[in-house]
Amino acid sequence: MSAFIQAKLPYLLSGISVGGQYALIAIGYTMVYGILRLINFAHGDVFMVAGLLMVYLTTAMPMYLSIPLVVAVTVALGFTIERVAYKPLRSAPRMSVMISAIGVSYLLQNCALYFTGGLAQIYPAIPWLSDSVTIGGATTKIVTLVTPVLTVALVFALVLFIQKTKIGMAMRAVSRDFETSQLMGIKINSVISMTFVIGCFLAAVGSLLYFTNYPSVVPTSGAMPGLKAFVAAVFGGIGSIPGAVIGAFIIGICENIIKGLGSNWTVFSDAFTFVLLIIILLVKPTGIFGEKATDKV
Amino acid sequence: MEKTLKKDPAQKAGTAIAACLIAALYIFLILLDNVLPANSFTLMLIPVLKKGAIYSLICVSMNLLNGFTGLFSLGQAGFLLVGAYTYAIFSIPADQHAAVYQYFDGGAVGFSIPEALGKALGENAGNFLGAVVCIIIAGLVAAAFAALIGIPVLRLKSDYLAIATLGFAEIIRAIFQWNGLGPVTNGSNMLRKYTNFSAIKIGDIKLATAFPFFISMICIALIVLLIHSSYGRAFKAVRDDEVAAEAMGISLFKHKMLSFVISSFFAGVGGALLAMYQTTIQASAFKSAMTYEILLIVVIGGIGSVSGSCIASFLYIACNEWWLRFLDSGSFFGLSVPFFRDGFRKVVFSVLIMVIVLFFSRGIMGDRELSFAGLLRRHKKKAASGAEGGGQA
């Protein structure tokens, strides 16, 4: 029994850790979808860009400067994307905005390809986070243990922010009814920008944690985690922050359990996420914590 | 209405011009394959023409779904994959199976349709007919997959449909890479040695470039006929207003399913042609990025325009593989430009695409079609207004 646990524990641990990282990305998806009804396909690529920024900035400056700078630049990138690519299309059909998001994703990936020259960039070891630690006979990095704690702390802070502050209240109002909140004098553009800023901040933190577990960053690194985080957001009920977090943990853990089943099944670890998506869309399209507003036209 | 259009002289002249141009095109393509010398120009032109023809079909098949039926599906890469694999599996010669399926004891299929037909009809006829048969099977298998996927997925709306079809494409990719199906799909290894364009000949005449044009043109013509039929009008009605369409007695699910299955059939055919073009295929290449690329071409051409999709495909492929190559090469008319290095072409390209998406969201053609009759009429109108001295544009 203990041998079994020893063999399977690493998968469970990394599942929890990956789940936390997906959760940080998923919040960005769920908040943007809640407000703009837009699947922000570029969010996964913003996450990848944060990873690449870390690679480049650590070669130029010490770690204590580069980490805040990575977060700041990622936030600025998210803000710019919203202003340039989504804001002009606010009155356009929803599909045009989605196509624009796909275009931004394509642009970010190609820019990354250009700057990296197509080579995988070695991710720097962050002191302390990258150190190894042994639990119950399983060796893992400290980041694996830090991620769930940090995720829960950040989510708690975010929920407080949304419940207690004025801009948080504005966000809730906008996600409930876009037009009416505009009529009530809410500055819709600043609320939307704030949503992107928060989403990208969390994606940047997520990328610091996620890539510490992986040796390198490539231009397509963001695509899969991005899609999975979106599925997590749908699973938890789109627009709901606790839902996205729980969905992300479930997906992260299940995916790693499948990886632990044996090499024959590893191929399905990505596909499983989508099976889960299709099941939830068919059984309960609003997700676990989704609001049951069906008569919206 | 139809009858009055047919009597229109501009329509007649337009049809005649189109027929002449198509004939000239095929003569040129056959000359290109057989007579014209291979130089740096034709070496660039031939792949662009082949790939452009294939992408035209793929983009039109996506446009049928996204532009004409209003179903925002992102599963195209999955159906291309099914088509490409089906084609390859049935056309790898029997004696090559041991080499291709080296990790799976020669695989489970053990026969090849072009080879079997070749024994009965001679090698060239076998290759030609075998390729056509395999392409049709590829389309049918992709359509069968679509019919299965469509039952759950088509009940979803707009962006949920998009993400669910994207998910199914990923699931299909995982299934084809699974070692459990290795004897058929070769697991995550590549499939090769199957019949490709260079084997397509009639007598001594090579048809390597004419063949993809031939297949694509037939398929696109079928799609255009479908769009103009009563089914096509029903598709457009579903696109414009689902509730109104249903009230008019159009079965939503039936028509969505029809559009989805037909679009996937042609995507499967496109996948088979892509496999022929590439000469080797691997499931890992059919990622969602491929669907995005196709979608962006459709957007450039104009969502809801068949001719727009074709024009955009050729433009995209020509720019991507030929005209914008200099951006990657580090020099521009002899000047060395330091930031012109690998990948810069793609950056310029994606910026252009963003400009089109943001500022010219109707694309090249909008939802209009290019027709010679229309051009003639416009030309006549211009001439007439010019003669009258009216300055109206």
Side-chain angles (χ1 to χ4, degrees):
Chain A
M1 190 60 198
S2 74
F4 179 80
I5 290 176
Q6 209 159 337
K8 298 299 170 194
L9 189 65
Y11 291 106
L12 190 65
L13 280 178
S14 71
I16 294 171
S17 161
V18 168
Q21 290 143 11
Y22 287 163
L24 292 175
I25 316 172
I27 292 169
Y29 276 105
T30 206
M31 286 175 71
V32 168
Y33 193 93
I35 288 184
L36 283 181
R37 301 275 175 262
L38 158 72
I39 304 177
N40 184 9
F41 279 99
H43 197 60
D45 299 288
V46 169
F47 166 81
M48 174 274 297
V49 169
L52 281 180
L53 277 174
M54 187 67 188
V55 172
Y56 285 116
L57 288 178
T58 42
T59 57
M61 56 185 73
M63 199 64 81
Y64 59 86
L65 275 181
S66 53
I67 290 178
L69 204 58
V70 165
V71 175
V73 175
T74 313
V75 165
L77 178 70
F79 177 79
T80 318
I81 289 173
E82 195 277 319
R83 279 294 150 105
V84 174
Y86 305 150
K87 192 172 166 238
L89 299 174
R90 202 136 294 160
S91 56
R94 265 164 74 191
M95 289 308 122
S96 316
V97 196
M98 199 151 115
I99 291 167
S100 181
I102 289 175
V104 173
S105 152
Y106 192 67
L107 175 68
L108 288 179
Q109 280 189 20
N110 284 334
C111 286
L113 197 67
Y114 174 63
F115 285 112
T116 60
L119 302 171
Q121 302 293 309
I122 308 298
Y123 201 75
I126 301 174
W128 189 62
L129 277 185
S130 307
D131 296 347
S132 291
V133 63
T134 310
I135 318 152
T139 310
T140 180
K141 287 181 177 175
I142 288 185
V143 68
T144 314
L145 306 177
V146 170
T147 305
V149 180
L150 190 61
T151 306
V152 171
L154 283 172
V155 169
F156 190 68
L158 180 64
V159 170
L160 271 184
F161 175 81
I162 288 177
Q163 297 294 338
K164 302 289 178 193
T165 62
K166 213 168 178 185
I167 185 125
M169 193 199 270
M171 278 179 184
R172 279 181 288 143
V174 173
S175 74
R176 188 58 56 84
D177 193 324
F178 200 90
E179 264 101 40
T180 314
S181 53
Q182 239 172 338
L183 292 175
M184 296 295 161
I186 290 173
K187 290 196 186 77
I188 205 111
N189 286 328
S190 62
V191 170
I192 292 169
S193 293
M194 194 64 200
T195 314
F196 276 82
V197 164
I198 293 173
C200 290
F201 168 77
L202 294 175
V205 175
S207 97
L208 289 174
L209 300 170
Y210 180 86
F211 287 116
T212 301
N213 269 331
Y214 289 83
S216 59
V217 190
V218 293
T220 49
S221 310
M224 219 9 124
L227 279 178
K228 282 179 186 164
F230 179 74
V231 173
V234 174
F235 187 77
I238 200 116
S240 151
I241 290 168
V245 173
I246 290 170
F249 274 113
I250 290 175
I251 284 177
I253 293 168
C254 290
E255 175 191 311
N256 277 280
I257 287 175
I258 291 173
K259 276 185 189 159
L261 286 179
S263 61
N264 210 2
W265 299 97
T266 313
V267 120
F268 287 108
S269 72
D270 289 347
F272 167 77
T273 312
F274 296 103
V275 173
L276 200 66
L277 167 79
I278 285 152
I279 292 171
I280 195 84
L281 283 180
L282 294 178
V283 178
K284 199 168 183 299
T286 50
I288 315 176
F289 294 100
E291 17 176 328
K292 288 184 188 70
T294 45
D295 48 354
K296 264 187 192 173
V297 177
Chain B
M1 191 65 195
E2 289 283 306
K3 274 182 183 167
T4 52
L5 275 180
K6 266 177 194 157
K7 278 177 188 165
D8 186 352
Q11 184 85 21
K12 249 184 197 169
T15 316
I17 293 175
C20 290
L21 280 179
I22 289 171
L25 174 73
Y26 278 104
I27 292 169
F28 172 69
L29 291 176
I30 289 168
L31 285 177
L32 199 60
D33 279 335
N34 296 285
V35 186
L36 294 183
N39 54 31
S40 61
F41 178 75
T42 51
L43 278 180
M44 293 311 288
L45 181 67
I46 291 177
V48 166
L49 286 176
K50 284 181 189 167
K51 210 174 171 189
I54 298 166
Y55 264 66
S56 298
L57 173 60
I58 295 170
C59 292
V60 171
S61 80
M62 190 169 197
N63 210 342
L64 174 67
L65 207 52
N66 291 22
F68 290 98
T69 323
L71 293 173
F72 201 84
S73 155
L74 293 178
Q76 220 67 356
F79 300 118
L80 290 177
L81 172 84
V82 173
Y85 262 71
T86 311
Y87 174 82
I89 288 164
F90 285 117
S91 68
I92 297 172
D95 56 346
Q96 299 288 357
H97 277 246
V100 174
Y101 292 99
Q102 52 180 332
Y103 303 110
F104 297 99
D105 300 329
V109 178
F111 67 95
S112 147
I113 293 176
E115 211 175 35
L117 286 170
K119 272 178 196 145
L121 306 163
E123 200 191 332
N124 283 346
N127 276 337
F128 189 95
L129 283 178
V132 172
V133 170
C134 287
I135 286 172
I136 293 172
I137 295 175
L140 289 176
V141 173
F145 266 81
L148 283 177
I149 293 169
I151 297 169
V153 161
L154 290 176
R155 275 187 277 167
L156 303 168
K157 290 260 160 67
S158 62
D159 32 14
Y160 284 106
L161 174 72
I163 199 84
T165 44
L166 194 69
F168 262 117
E170 291 291 330
I171 295 172
I172 289 176
R173 191 160 64 88
I175 292 173
F176 275 78
Q177 284 178 310
W178 181 41
N179 272 340
L181 286 174
V184 180
T185 62
N186 211 10
S188 54
N189 311 300
M190 61 169 60
L191 288 174
R192 56 206 164 88
K193 307 266 187 195
Y194 49 81
T195 315
N196 58 33
F197 288 141
S198 58
I200 306 291
K201 292 174 198 165
I202 293 180
D204 286 333
I205 305 168
K206 287 180 236 157
L207 294 173
T209 316
F211 185 73
F213 269 85
F214 176 66
I215 300 283
S216 287
M217 217 174 256
I218 291 177
C219 291
I220 292 174
L222 287 174
I223 294 176
V224 170
L225 286 177
L226 175 76
I227 289 170
H228 289 303
S229 73
S230 62
Y231 288 107
R233 291 199 191 104
F235 291 166
K236 287 181 199 163
V238 171
R239 170 192 68 185
D240 291 338
D241 193 330
E242 284 196 4
V243 179
E246 203 169 20
M248 298 307 285
I250 293 171
S251 160
L252 282 188
F253 184 76
K254 186 184 143 201
H255 284 89
K256 283 182 178 179
M257 187 61 139
L258 201 63
S259 172
F260 193 60
V261 168
I262 292 171
S263 163
S264 305
F265 174 85
F266 289 115
V269 170
L273 290 175
L274 202 62
M276 293 180 88
Y277 171 76
Q278 288 177 344
T279 67
T280 60
I281 49 162
Q282 202 164 13
S284 56
F286 293 82
K287 290 203 172 110
S288 47
M290 195 173 193
T291 310
Y292 297 161
E293 192 182 26
I294 297 163
L295 174 71
L296 292 172
I297 298 177
V298 171
V299 171
I300 295 171
I303 293 182
S305 167
V306 172
S307 44
S309 289
C310 298
I311 295 169
S313 300
F314 279 101
L315 269 181
Y316 179 88
I317 299 294
C319 288
N320 203 6
E321 318 244 315
W322 188 10
W323 296 337
L324 293 183
R325 276 273 173 209
F326 72 89
L327 291 174
D328 276 8
S329 65
S331 67
F332 182 56
F333 290 122
L335 287 166
S336 89
V337 187
F339 55 83
F340 281 13
R341 56 183 160 87
D342 269 352
F344 190 64
R345 166 180 54 118
K346 288 261 185 188
V347 174
V348 171
F349 226 82
S350 19
V351 171
L352 279 179
I353 288 174
M354 278 316 291
V355 168
I356 291 175
V357 169
L358 287 176
F359 303 109
F360 306 98
S361 59
R362 289 172 52 79
I364 299 173
M365 297 297 293
D367 52 5
R368 290 162 297 148
E369 293 293 349
L370 181 74
S371 76
F372 292 106
L375 285 178
L376 277 178
R377 263 183 233 129
R378 190 184 291 177
H379 182 73
K380 263 184 195 162
K381 229 184 230 169
K382 244 185 202 167
S385 67
E388 284 164 18
Q392 279 185 330

